[in-house]
Amino acid sequence: MKTILVAVDGSEHASKAVDVAGKLARLYDARLHLLHVVPFEPLPEGLVAFALAEKIPIEEEVGRWQSARLLGDALVREAAERLRGQGLEGVETHVEEGSPGPVILAVAERLEADLIVVGSRGRTGLAATLLGSVSHRVALNARCSVLIVR
Ligand SMILES: Nc1ncnc2c1ncn2[C@@H]1O[C@H](COP(=O)(O)OP(=O)(O)OP(=O)(O)O)[C@@H](O)[C@H]1O
Ligand SMILES: [Mg+2]
């Protein structure tokens, strides 16, 4: 086990996943990659120009995306610092945009991850559900092993 990918969304569940992934990385002397996916995409440039020309107010949309992006950067940075503070080396961070499930799978492929670690639930789901749609999708479609942390 050389490469572990852990996906974080700012939830308590994901934070637990980071702790478990950190312990496994230490045990296996593996590289640990932290990934947050900003779950929506910025407006395409052409559309922004069109909106400006038509005087359609999109500041709110753009602002929302910028905040989500900054939040994502802060999330992975905070988690990485926590792990490094525990003496773990070889921690890397990634922030990508798009649909979380497919992006997590694509990054895992790109990194040739041996293991993906996710929380069973995240911050957007209903309290009653046992498994979120992102962890479900990752578990079903990943080509490597997946650890779902509860
Ligand atoms: N945007 C994201 N970026 C990175 N990892 C994510 C993201 N969203 C979810 N995850 C990962 O998937 C795990 C499960 O979250 P998921 O989104 O599936 O559940 P949920 O938010 O409770 O429900 P749902 O989103 O399906 O309504 C999280 O603990 C985290 O590890
Ligand atoms: Mg979610």
Side-chain angles (χ1 to χ4, degrees):
M1 179 117 70
K2 286 268 152 279
T3 306
I4 298 173
L5 174 65
V6 57
V8 296
D9 69 345
S11 65
E12 276 299 313
H13 303 270
S15 171
K16 255 190 187 176
V18 170
D19 289 341
V20 173
K23 287 189 182 125
L24 288 175
R26 193 187 309 268
L27 200 61
Y28 284 95
D29 198 20
R31 293 197 78 78
L32 184 61
H33 295 264
L34 289 154
L35 168 67
H36 176 70
V37 185
V38 181
F40 51 85
E41 302 185 31
L43 292 171
E45 261 174 52
L47 204 56
V48 172
F50 176 75
L52 290 176
E54 295 289 316
K55 298 199 169 39
I56 296 167
I58 53 162
E59 297 82 8
E60 216 173 289
E61 176 72 17
V62 172
R64 203 159 59 93
W65 176 76
Q66 282 170 343
S67 311
R69 175 86 212 188
L70 287 174
L71 187 64
D73 290 340
L75 272 181
V76 290
R77 203 178 335 111
E78 188 266 344
E81 266 153 32
R82 184 152 55 92
L83 291 166
R84 289 183 190 122
Q86 293 164 6
L88 192 68
E89 286 167 24
V91 180
E92 285 180 41
T93 60
H94 310 262
V95 178
E96 304 257 340
E97 291 146 21
S99 176
V103 171
I104 293 167
L105 292 165
V107 171
E109 293 275 314
R110 193 174 80 213
L111 296 172
E112 297 181 27
D114 303 294
L115 179 71
I116 303 171
V117 184
V118 290
S120 57
R121 292 201 23 242
R123 67 172 193 209
T124 54
L126 299 170
T129 29
L130 288 177
L131 195 63
S133 61
V134 174
S135 29
H136 183 239
R137 189 158 187 172
V138 169
L140 281 184
N141 297 300
R143 291 163 70 170
C144 63
S145 301
V146 176
L147 177 59
I148 296 175
V149 176
R150 276 219 167 79

